[in-house]
Amino acid sequence: IFKKISYGTWCFIFQGSLLIILILIIRKISLGYMISLLLALLHGYVIDIFGIFMNLLPDTLTVRILCLMLSVATLTTGIAFAINCKLPVLAVDVFYIKLSDHFKIPFKNVKTVFDCTCTMVSILLSLIVLRSVPSVGPGTIVTALFSGFLAHRISEWLNARFIFVPYFKCLEKIT
């Protein structure tokens, strides 16, 4: 529909919108939100760059499954490390974390419900506007259903084996 706006730019707009919604819900703002917004901007550029390389991969079921497995493993491990290390994270992750803290709901539940809701909204909008669902496949659904659970499990596994101490105390205060 909006072909002049890249996927990475849409991700940045989406994450910025989530931060605004978060601020309205919890009525708090922190410097960490601005850092998360800058990370979201960088993330958008990285998405656009990797999108170019993804088009170079063979489009076979085996490659798609391997990419899905690698992506989910990398994503969930990265989320677990970032949260445990008290590092600034993407705006979307700040949204999950702060809503989880604010409403006293486990992070994995907030993430899973939010991811599934976004997936359903994407399917509905695609059907209404495009009359098809070109961008939501089995990988999107698997990721929506299991990334919150997997990030939680990896985080538990890491916490059982390591003690996380912030290297930069100032980062702990702003996240």
Side-chain angles (χ1 to χ4, degrees), residues 14-27 95 99:
F14 176 71
Q15 291 194 53
S17 301
L18 285 180
L19 278 182
I20 292 168
I21 292 167
L22 177 67
I23 292 166
L24 293 173
I25 291 172
I26 68 172
R27 302 199 189 295
F95 185 80
L99 279 185

Side-chain angles (χ1 to χ4, degrees), residues 33-139:
Y33 297 175
M34 297 308 114
I35 293 172
S36 294
L37 198 57
L38 290 173
L39 289 173
L41 182 62
L42 177 64
H43 180 251
Y45 285 121
V46 170
I47 284 175
D48 288 340
I49 291 167
F50 272 90
I52 295 166
F53 292 113
M54 288 302 292
N55 290 331
L56 300 175
L57 290 173
D59 193 19
T60 65
L61 183 59
T62 304
V63 170
R64 286 175 165 237
I65 290 171
L66 288 173
C67 284
L68 173 65
M69 290 170 50
L70 181 63
S71 298
V72 170
T74 304
L75 171 78
T76 55
T77 303
I79 290 170
F81 269 112
I83 291 170
N84 285 331
C85 293
K86 306 289 188 227
L87 292 173
V89 291
L90 290 173
V92 69
D93 298 318
V94 168
F95 185 80
Y96 305 140
I97 293 165
K98 297 300 180 182
L99 279 185
S100 173
D101 292 345
H102 183 73
F103 291 111
K104 310 276 188 273
I105 301 170
F107 171 81
K108 66 180 180 179
N109 296 353
V110 173
K111 180 163 177 38
T112 300
V113 168
F114 184 79
D115 287 352
C116 289
T117 301
C118 286
T119 301
M120 289 187 301
V121 168
S122 179
I123 290 169
L124 286 173
L125 287 175
S126 293
L127 287 172
I128 291 167
V129 176
L130 303 173
R131 308 265 191 263
S132 68
V133 188
S135 61
V136 179

